[in-house]
């Protein structure tokens, strides 16, 4: 918890935007269902990113799912901000 706090402080001081998402938000963004299983998230990550010939570990697909969620969130927020 302390390391996380230091990292968040450093990002805030550098004016780097921070995105935080709950597991349910990530799953909803990627799968469309907030209570999806890890394997469902993994499969959708593979489909969304067009990954066919590489084995994805669950940790890797989780990280990519967070990135996809952030990209969706950023896009929506930018659209709303520009209106």
């Amino acid at each position: 918890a302390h390391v996380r706090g230091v990292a968040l402080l450093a990002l805030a001081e550098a004016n780097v935007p921070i995105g935080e998402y709950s597991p349910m938000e990530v799953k909803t963004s990627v799968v469309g269902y907030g209570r999806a299983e890890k394997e469902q998230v993994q499969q959708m990550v593979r489909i969304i990113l067009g990954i066919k010939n590489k084995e994805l570990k669950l940790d890797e697909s989780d990280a990519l799912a967070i990135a996809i969620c952030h990209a969706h969130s950023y896009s929506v927020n930018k659209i709303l901000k520009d209106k």
Side-chain angles (χ1 to χ4, degrees):
H2 291 86
V3 173
R4 182 178 181 276
V6 171
L8 290 174
L9 176 63
L11 291 169
E13 287 179 346
N15 292 320
V16 174
I18 301 166
E20 294 186 80
Y21 309 99
S22 70
M24 188 172 276
E25 287 175 295
V26 173
K27 291 175 181 182
T28 300
S29 177
V30 174
V31 180
Y33 177 61
R35 295 177 189 258
E37 297 293 327
K38 281 186 168 275
E39 292 77 14
Q40 291 172 298
V41 173
Q42 184 182 51
Q43 183 61 26
M44 283 305 298
V45 165
R46 293 175 66 83
I47 291 169
I48 291 168
L49 299 179
I51 299 171
K52 295 179 180 162
N53 297 325
K54 183 187 181 315
E55 177 74 26
L56 274 184
K57 296 178 183 165
L58 289 176
D59 289 343
E60 294 171 330
S61 60
D62 286 349
L64 292 169
I66 294 167
I68 292 167
C69 177
H70 183 72
H72 287 169
S73 176
Y74 178 81
S75 297
V76 169
N77 288 333
K78 183 167 176 22
I79 290 168
L80 293 175
K81 184 179 175 184
D82 290 344
K83 284 192 172 197

